[in-house]
Amino acid sequence: MSAYLKFFELERSPFEGKAQSQVVLGTRALREALSTIESGLSDGASRICVSGERGLGKTSLARALPKLLGRKVRVALVRDPAVSWEALRGSLATQWGLEGGALARSRLIEASRSQRLVLVIDQAERATEDFLDHLDVLLSYRTEDDRPVVQSVLLARLATDPGESPPTLIWWLDRLQTLQLEFAPLPRDGVESYIHRHLKRAGWRGDRLFSPEASRAIHGYTGGIPGQVSHLCEKLLAIAAGEQRVSIDADVVHALCD
């Protein structure tokens, strides 16, 4: 689909791969999520859970948090909590700058004196009971002034498909005090801004490439899920370039989706 880049004079793909992570704060929901996470960490919350459906940007946010939270926060990222704790502990110690690959309580307390230690867990709905038991231990450590030594941010899809069993994470969240927030899809009037922002960062120098009517049609077909909006826009750009169109209107959207 990257063949359209030359036609539209774009520097890179606006909606695929790295482009998605570069605009992690490109939606109001993500900006509000970051603000809530920062406030929760400052207030001493040990458990912060960000939930939402697929395609809303949770993984992009998880991978960007080490940079977004700043130098005073040392982040360890778990990409898949279904992996055994034994296989993860060395990586966590390294990411937190602990020598020897050990997560000893004394070393964690010492490290937390100079930087806030945060554990970010992507795909947290995959966490096993064993993983959550070990996480409980980490989160139970307190400093002399009763601050949490380690704080956690969990990004999860808590809704289940028909026939699926609820993830173990749900009962873990229910039995413990957790700051929870939920991603919402883009509103109808937010899709146009979302698309234009992606295009501008990819090098687009013209006016609105997608008409307002096209943006509304895209919202109707995708429900405002950013991942689905991006996927559809990639296809529309490829079609428009193939047909030598300099703009995309609602008719193009309907012709593809219908």
Side-chain angles (χ1 to χ4, degrees), residues 84-239:
S84 72
W85 185 261
E86 290 301 317
L88 291 169
R89 58 186 302 156
S91 172
L92 300 184
T94 299
Q95 291 180 75
W96 278 329
L98 305 177
E99 296 181 0
L103 297 177
R105 179 176 178 273
S106 58
R107 291 189 178 184
L108 288 165
I109 291 176
E110 181 63 29
S112 70
R113 291 193 176 111
S114 57
Q115 289 181 304
R116 191 187 303 276
L117 302 182
V118 176
L119 181 60
V120 175
I121 305 163
D122 192 21
Q123 301 183 88
E125 71 277 3
R126 290 172 52 83
T128 63
E129 187 171 348
D130 179 69
F131 177 93
L132 294 172
D133 286 344
H134 282 94
L135 180 58
D136 274 337
V137 174
L138 274 187
L139 299 183
S140 70
Y141 296 156
R142 311 289 293 187
T143 62
E144 295 86 349
D145 55 354
D146 200 34
R147 291 185 297 104
V149 173
V150 174
Q151 296 169 277
S152 63
V153 179
L154 302 97
L155 298 106
R157 177 179 179 265
L158 298 180
T160 56
D161 294 327
E164 282 186 337
S165 299
T168 304
L169 180 67
I170 289 182
W171 66 258
W172 186 84
L173 294 172
D174 286 344
R175 70 181 179 82
L176 299 166
Q177 184 175 359
T178 305
L179 174 60
Q180 297 194 49
L181 60 149
E182 185 173 0
F183 276 155
L186 294 165
R188 188 172 69 171
D189 58 357
V191 169
E192 183 178 6
S193 175
Y194 175 86
I195 293 171
H196 190 61
R197 186 181 292 111
H198 277 71
L199 288 167
K200 294 289 284 186
R201 293 199 180 190
W204 175 248
R205 298 291 179 263
D207 294 328
R208 300 278 169 163
L209 177 54
F210 289 71
S211 72
E213 294 76 17
S215 298
R216 286 194 288 271
I218 290 169
H219 182 275
Y221 287 111
T222 64
I225 303 295
Q228 294 184 27
V229 172
S230 296
H231 182 68
L232 179 53
C233 286
E234 280 286 330
K235 291 185 176 182
L236 290 167
L237 287 170
I239 290 172

Side-chain angles (χ1 to χ4, degrees), residues 24-97:
V24 66
L25 298 183
T27 70
R28 181 182 301 174
L30 286 168
R31 292 193 295 272
E32 291 177 349
L34 176 62
S35 178
T36 301
I37 289 170
E38 290 177 325
S39 297
L41 294 175
S42 296
D43 292 341
S46 295
R47 301 165 179 85
I48 302 171
C49 181
V50 181
S51 62
E53 280 296 330
R54 299 184 184 95
L56 288 175
K58 300 186 299 300
T59 291
S60 294
L61 178 60
R63 294 177 180 178
L65 278 176
K67 181 178 180 180
L68 294 173
L69 292 178
R71 295 181 179 179
K72 293 184 179 180
V73 179
R74 191 74 179 255
V75 173
L77 173 62
V78 174
R79 298 176 186 269
D80 184 3
V83 176
S84 72
W85 185 261
E86 290 301 317
L88 291 169
R89 58 186 302 156
S91 172
L92 300 184
T94 299
Q95 291 180 75
W96 278 329

